[in-house]
């Protein structure tokens, strides 16, 4: 039986050494329906050209990764971060991405005040929201694993991100990721509280034991301890019909392999988890 | 001015290469008032002899580390884990430790059901509590960083641990650790909700950026991003007058140095954070 991959996307960082063009073609060639795009690859390709490649291949784009960091204490630097985020919102709109994934950084250099960093991020999101609504791109609030709380993102629990979405309202939503959230006692309750309409994309990544590197040792689906079937059951039960997107940072394993092999294994492992119950085409 | 170290303990894993006797003498020699003991060192020394060494040096013992893991799905293995925990509670009582630090493991081999692992741990604690009360040792529930949720401990947020203490009541308390909790939006609110009487010991460890190893790269106080002064202010404000205890796992740095140097630097860095406001001697 053919795998049903209509809801399945690969986040292009998973095939780190491929250009955007290689990723678009490599995913489409194996029947993957969507691509999570990173700004670095998109900029290297050119935004207009990237949009054309994606459109021509017929891929959907759950998200553009990521927002620019706003972990800058001085006003001029902070404002430059906001301007770069507006540029990325434009790029997301041009490639038809549903969301810009918010990974906003955390502490500024030398700073130790985490509550202040969190307030700064909230302020940045409040500032960006009208523009995001204007260009029709959702701010995808992603809880990042607490081991990234100092540098990558100060948004670290599902409850914290859901609270931000509720405060900001329309134009925001949750990017859920098993790698970042599997440990969180509020992950499943939070998914249900958010409701299917507020989950923008559901990232798949496994937690390896042992984890050999804080930043780049995410596991292929099935190689770790994450109970993907249980999450799929919850998502079905709550009526989620959005995308599933595998995203691996893997310097010891998948980044060292040929992209075609990584895609083939990702498809093979994820197919049982991503089929069925698709949103009607709009 | 002499540093006021009456509330200050060093957890002996910080001087990994020292025996219990070396640690007791090495800490006392530099005026440190307490020692956090690990079972491996205590067993190597002999419990009775260890108790004598500690008593003779006049050190207080905030805790014995750690409980035995109970991440065993079959009944016989689980029961053996409980028996070992009773033995460690006896040892804690014999050395005058206030608490046995609960680090209960998480998933059993091949298991992916984290909620089941959490239920199993709660069951083990319920089972052990009457015995802990009988021997006069508190079960020290410690939130461990979420990056240890698969292997070291399935207790990972302050709110989760506080909830366990509330359910189990007398004979339980919180072991708070800046390294494990600094990212947690519920850390400071949780400390206040717990109240000073339920914080057994306050561990000091810094979060390094970058963190080079998931397991053994904790930072000396002052070398990372943790805002220790802010926590001290909260603890003073809520009336906490218990111990402060530095605990470092540091394979790239402090474990490579001479124990006397590690102790000297720990005293120097922690002295401004641990003085004053001591509980009246009982």
């Amino acid at each position: 039986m053919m795998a049903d991959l209509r809801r399945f996307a690969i986040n292009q960082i998973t095939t780190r050494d491929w250009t955007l063009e290689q990723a678009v073609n490599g995913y489409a060639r194996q029947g993957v329906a969507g691509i999570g795009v990173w700004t670095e690859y998109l900029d290297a390709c050119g935004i207009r050209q990237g949009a054309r490649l994606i459109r021509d291949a017929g891929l959907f784009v759950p998200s553009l990764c990521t927002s620019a960091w706003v972990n800058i204490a001085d006003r001029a630097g902070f404002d430059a971060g906001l301007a770069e985020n507006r540029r990325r919102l434009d790029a997301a709109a041009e490639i038809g991405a549903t969301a810009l994934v918010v990974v906003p950084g955390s502490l500024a250099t030398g700073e130790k005040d985490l509550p202040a960093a969190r307030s700064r991020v909230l302020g940045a999101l409040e500032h960006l929201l009208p523009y995001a609504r204007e260009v029709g791109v959702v701010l995808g609030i992603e809880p990042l694993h607490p081991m990234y709380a100092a540098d990558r993102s100060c948004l670290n629990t599902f409850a914290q991100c859901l609270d931000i979405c509720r405060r900001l309202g329309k134009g925001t939503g949750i990017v859920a990721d098993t790698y970042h959230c599997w440990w969180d006692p509020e992950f499943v309750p939070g998914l249900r509280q958010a409701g299917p309409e507020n989950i923008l994309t559901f990232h798949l990544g496994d937690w390896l034991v042992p984890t050999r590197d804080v930043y780049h040792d995410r596991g292929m689906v099935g190689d770790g301890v994450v109970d993907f079937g249980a999450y799929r059951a919850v998502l079905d039960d709550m009526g989620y019909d959005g995308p599933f997107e595998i995203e691996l940072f893997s310097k010891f394993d998948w980044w060292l392999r040929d992209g075609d092999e990584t895609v083939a294994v990702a498809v093979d492992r994820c197919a049982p988890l991503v089929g069925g119950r698709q949103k009607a085409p709009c």
Side-chain angles (χ1 to χ4, degrees), chain A residues 6-133:
Chain A
R6 289 173 296 171
R7 296 170 69 181
F8 184 53
I10 297 182
N11 185 296
Q12 75 170 124
I13 202 67
T14 309
T15 51
R16 186 191 56 174
D17 292 346
W18 273 356
T19 64
L20 180 59
E21 182 167 14
Q22 288 175 305
V24 164
N25 294 334
Y27 301 170
R29 196 158 57 229
Q30 295 197 46
V32 175
I35 180 171
V37 175
W38 278 71
T39 52
E40 292 77 355
Y41 299 92
L42 181 59
D43 288 343
C45 171
I47 295 172
R48 184 169 299 181
Q49 168 66 1
R52 186 180 306 115
L53 288 169
I54 294 165
R55 198 170 50 242
D56 289 351
L59 297 181
F60 77 87
V61 185
S63 59
L64 178 65
C65 295
T66 69
S67 66
W69 289 9
V70 291
N71 60 337
I72 302 154
D74 72 279
R75 189 72 222 180
F78 183 74
D79 286 346
L82 293 178
E84 173 61 18
N85 275 306
R86 285 191 295 273
R87 189 188 75 82
R88 296 190 187 185
L89 284 165
D90 287 335
E94 189 156 347
I95 62 171
T98 307
L100 178 66
V101 179
V102 173
V103 178
S106 182
L107 300 169
T109 305
E111 185 182 47
K112 301 197 179 195
D113 189 342
L114 187 58
R118 286 173 169 159
S119 295
R120 187 169 55 221
V121 166
L122 188 62
L125 292 173
E126 282 168 346
H127 180 95
L128 290 170
L129 186 57
Y131 192 75
R133 287 175 180 159

Side-chain angles (χ1 to χ4, degrees), chain A residues 153-196:
Chain A
S153 176
C154 55
L155 310 179
N156 309 105
T157 70
F158 204 96
Q160 184 193 8
C161 292
L162 189 54
D163 180 61
I164 289 173
C165 289
R166 283 176 172 159
R167 288 166 74 160
L168 297 183
K170 189 174 168 299
T172 63
I174 296 278
V175 173
D177 187 317
T178 57
Y179 183 80
H180 293 303
C181 297
W182 79 278
W183 61 271
D184 187 345
E186 299 306 315
F187 185 26
V188 167
L191 286 169
R192 292 187 186 277
Q193 286 160 30

Side-chain angles (χ1 to χ4, degrees), chain A residues 72-279:
Chain A
I72 302 154
D74 72 279
R75 189 72 222 180
F78 183 74
D79 286 346
L82 293 178
E84 173 61 18
N85 275 306
R86 285 191 295 273
R87 189 188 75 82
R88 296 190 187 185
L89 284 165
D90 287 335
E94 189 156 347
I95 62 171
T98 307
L100 178 66
V101 179
V102 173
V103 178
S106 182
L107 300 169
T109 305
E111 185 182 47
K112 301 197 179 195
D113 189 342
L114 187 58
R118 286 173 169 159
S119 295
R120 187 169 55 221
V121 166
L122 188 62
L125 292 173
E126 282 168 346
H127 180 95
L128 290 170
L129 186 57
Y131 192 75
R133 287 175 180 159
E134 193 182 316
V135 299
V137 172
V138 183
L139 296 173
I141 315 297
E142 180 171 31
L144 240 65
H145 196 285
M147 66 192 182
Y148 304 130
D151 41 11
R152 301 291 177 84
S153 176
C154 55
L155 310 179
N156 309 105
T157 70
F158 204 96
Q160 184 193 8
C161 292
L162 189 54
D163 180 61
I164 289 173
C165 289
R166 283 176 172 159
R167 288 166 74 160
L168 297 183
K170 189 174 168 299
T172 63
I174 296 278
V175 173
D177 187 317
T178 57
Y179 183 80
H180 293 303
C181 297
W182 79 278
W183 61 271
D184 187 345
E186 299 306 315
F187 185 26
V188 167
L191 286 169
R192 292 187 186 277
Q193 286 160 30
E197 67 282 9
N198 291 310
I199 306 299
L200 302 169
T201 175
F202 193 85
H203 285 196
L204 306 173
D206 216 338
W207 182 270
L208 299 175
V209 181
T211 288
R212 294 161 291 175
D213 185 80
V214 169
Y215 300 99
H216 302 130
D217 193 25
R218 304 192 194 182
M220 176 59 73
V221 168
D223 286 350
V225 298
V226 171
D227 189 358
F228 293 98
Y231 294 122
R232 175 66 202 249
V234 167
L235 292 167
D236 279 354
D237 183 59
M238 61 186 258
Y240 176 74
D241 56 7
F244 293 99
E245 180 180 347
I246 190 168
E247 183 187 42
L248 303 183
F249 293 71
S250 174
K251 73 176 182 185
F252 301 115
D253 194 345
W254 300 97
W255 282 356
L256 305 179
R257 305 202 199 192
D258 179 75
D260 285 324
E261 181 189 355
T262 298
V263 171
V265 175
V267 166
D268 183 56
R269 298 286 185 88
C270 295
L273 294 164
V274 305
R277 192 166 188 150
Q278 192 173 28
K279 203 180 293 205

